[in-house]
Amino acid sequence: MKKEHVDIGELIDKETERRLAIMESPDYEWPPKAGKGDVIAIIIIMLICLMLILGCVLEVIV
């Protein structure tokens, strides 16, 4: 099976253009902005991840 040469830069450029065209259309609905609850959830998730990483570094979690 022969692999085709794929230019990742070209794929990224095409996909970026496609998505920008979608976002520039007049009927595009922007998602709601993140609220206070979203920010709190993100901070809690980050703290949990940091605690897990620290636990692995200190070999508490194997």
Side-chain angles (χ1 to χ4, degrees), residues 1 3-4 6-8 11-12 16 21 23-24 26-28 33 35 37 41 45-46 48-49 51-52 55 61:
M1 183 175 354
K3 291 185 178 182
E4 290 185 30
V6 178
D7 183 12
I8 190 70
L11 288 174
I12 291 172
T16 301
M23 291 173 64
E24 289 173 347
D27 58 338
Y28 180 76
K33 292 189 179 210
I45 290 169
M46 288 173 62
I48 291 171
C49 289
M51 287 175 21
L52 290 171
I61 302 172

Side-chain angles (χ1 to χ4, degrees), residues 8-28:
I8 190 70
E10 185 178 328
L11 288 174
I12 291 172
D13 289 342
K14 285 181 182 178
E15 183 64 18
T16 301
E17 288 178 24
R18 185 183 74 81
R19 291 182 186 208
L20 284 174
I22 292 170
M23 291 173 64
E24 289 173 347
S25 70
D27 58 338
Y28 180 76

Side-chain angles (χ1 to χ4, degrees), residues 28-41:
Y28 180 76
E29 289 187 34
W30 290 91
K33 292 189 179 210
K36 190 181 268 186
D38 296 319
V39 173
I40 291 170

Side-chain angles (χ1 to χ4, degrees), residues 49-62:
C49 289
L50 286 172
M51 287 175 21
L52 290 171
I53 292 170
L54 185 62
C56 289
V57 169
L58 297 175
E59 297 182 358
V60 175
I61 302 172
V62 187

